[in-house]
Amino acid sequence: MKALRHLFGIGPLAPGQIEYLVDLGESFLELSRRPVRKAPTLRGKTIINLFFENSTRTRTSFEIAGKRLSADVINISAQASAVKKGESLLDTAQTLAAMRPHVLVIRHSIAGCCELLADFLPGTAIVNAGDGAHEHPTQVLTDLLTLKTRAGGWRGKTITIVGDIAHSRVARSHLIAAGKLGYAVRLVAPKTLLPADIERYGCEVFHDFDAAIPGSDVLYMLRIQSERLADACAFPSIREYHEAYGLNAARLAAAPEHAVVMHPGPMNRGVEIATDVADSARARILDQVESGVAVRMAVLTALCGGEGEEA
Ligand code: CP
């Protein structure tokens, strides 16, 4: 595989690099199920998780991934950083890079911030853990590993992504990955929750959820990102949104028998997904969480070059 210097998004990755990371992640799934969940792979490596937006899954799984591979892991949140005292993102990142970590994992609301920072931080590998509405590459790697191990793979499949596409970095990363890896993406949303440039992705777009369900192999539900909607009113009420775009038992019953349900989290039960669906045997949502640790172990390993080598 071509060496991985940074992980800015799915966009810069070749199909072979994506598949390599998923395969490596699969081998780490096995390690994560052993009684002793520890390997020496990243001994002597330092990883800093710098999160300016809230996170449960991504931040915790990067921390567990690093620790499971014996790296030293430091977590910094915006609330506890000097950004609260007026320091810029660039100064904060340069300050942390001067402490010579091997990897800086960044989540921030500014799209493209990881690439911008990388130019100023030579010697530190940067991982995009979600940048605004731009990309969330490790979520897509997580989903691909889940599809591979828990849903019969992705090749030739149709993933129907439903909900707040306009603000979804996960949807954007899937649209990019689909073109590279041979699966199709359908998007389902009201016009108010679709990006203005949706045509450029060349995928099927539905405003009627029920029309998109037949032929779907995965129903991939998204949360409404109210924190990015400001005061805009994208739909009349939560009740009406759930009726039109929520995945309930009747809709799941209309999907092909083999179809599975996925969600990147955090879930809003009763809004985009009904509780009985979220907890059903067809849901792969907690499998996604488990895969998330394994693919982040793969990403950190690929960036650090394994034991004893420099990134
Ligand atoms: N899927 C995802 O990014 O979840 P978190 O916001 O909890 O990290």
Side-chain angles (χ1 to χ4, degrees):
M1 187 198 75
K2 196 168 149 251
L4 201 60
R5 180 77 193 83
H6 301 285
L7 181 60
F8 296 141
I10 294 295
L13 296 180
Q17 288 178 304
I18 300 172
E19 284 167 7
Y20 171 82
L21 290 170
V22 174
D23 290 348
L24 189 57
E26 191 174 7
S27 71
F28 284 130
L29 266 184
E30 188 268 320
L31 172 75
S32 295
R33 289 172 184 169
R34 283 187 210 155
V36 177
R37 300 171 183 120
K38 199 88 172 173
T41 316
L42 298 185
R43 199 166 45 199
K45 308 290 184 189
T46 306
I47 296 159
I48 299 182
N49 291 324
L50 179 58
F51 276 61
F52 291 92
E53 288 184 344
N54 295 341
S55 169
T56 299
R57 280 144 286 268
T58 313
R59 209 209 69 166
T60 311
S61 56
F62 266 114
E63 180 174 357
I64 292 176
K67 287 181 172 169
R68 235 163 236 182
L69 294 173
S70 307
D72 298 308
V73 184
I74 293 95
N75 295 308
I76 303 176
S77 65
Q79 290 76 13
S81 77
V83 168
K84 280 277 168 208
K85 299 177 183 172
E87 189 172 66
S88 70
L89 170 61
L90 177 57
D91 281 333
T92 299
Q94 281 185 311
T95 300
L96 295 173
M99 299 179 197
R100 299 188 61 77
H102 295 83
V103 183
L104 195 52
V105 179
I106 301 175
R107 171 171 287 192
H108 200 282
S109 59
I110 298 177
C113 66
C114 294
E115 278 135 299
L116 285 172
L117 289 174
D119 286 343
F120 295 91
L121 312 175
T124 306
I126 307 287
V127 179
N128 178 2
D131 60 335
H134 178 225
E135 276 231 45
H136 194 349
T138 58
Q139 181 63 50
V140 165
L141 294 171
T142 292
D143 298 342
L144 292 171
L145 178 55
T146 308
L147 288 169
K148 186 175 181 199
T149 56
R150 301 283 293 127
W154 61 75
R155 211 164 288 281
K157 298 281 175 68
T158 297
I159 300 185
T160 298
I161 304 181
V162 188
D164 186 357
I165 313 289
H167 302 101
S168 176
R169 49 199 174 206
V170 177
R172 200 171 300 274
S173 289
H174 263 299
L175 285 163
I176 299 165
K180 294 178 189 245
L181 297 180
Y183 63 96
V185 170
R186 281 180 185 169
L187 300 178
V188 182
K191 282 188 181 142
T192 48
L193 290 177
L194 283 169
D197 63 346
I198 196 65
E199 292 81 23
R200 81 184 175 98
Y201 292 102
C203 63
E204 286 184 285
V205 179
F206 294 77
H207 303 301
D208 175 359
F209 187 9
D210 295 299
I213 290 175
S216 296
D217 299 294
V218 179
L219 297 171
Y220 194 104
M221 308 309 295
L222 295 176
R223 173 180 77 91
I224 294 160
Q225 300 192 31
S226 5
E227 71 276 21
R228 295 191 218 276
L229 272 168
D231 294 327
C233 192
F235 46 85
S237 69
I238 294 291
R239 189 183 57 78
E240 284 177 66
Y241 180 84
H242 182 67
E243 270 174 27
Y245 293 102
L247 182 56
N248 55 27
R251 286 197 167 115
L252 184 54
E257 230 171 280
H258 67 270
V260 297
V261 178
M262 294 175 74
H263 194 311
M267 267 191 298
N268 286 163
R269 291 170 184 254
V271 184
E272 73 274 11
I273 190 164
T275 280
D276 53 350
V277 171
D279 297 333
S280 78
R282 294 171 76 177
R284 297 289 178 269
I285 299 164
L286 293 178
D287 299 302
Q288 287 172 273
V289 177
E290 185 182 17
S291 299
V293 175
V295 292
R296 287 169 181 122
M297 290 166 82
V299 166
L300 294 174
T301 300
L303 288 168
C304 290
E307 199 173 10
E309 292 170 41
E310 278 306 308

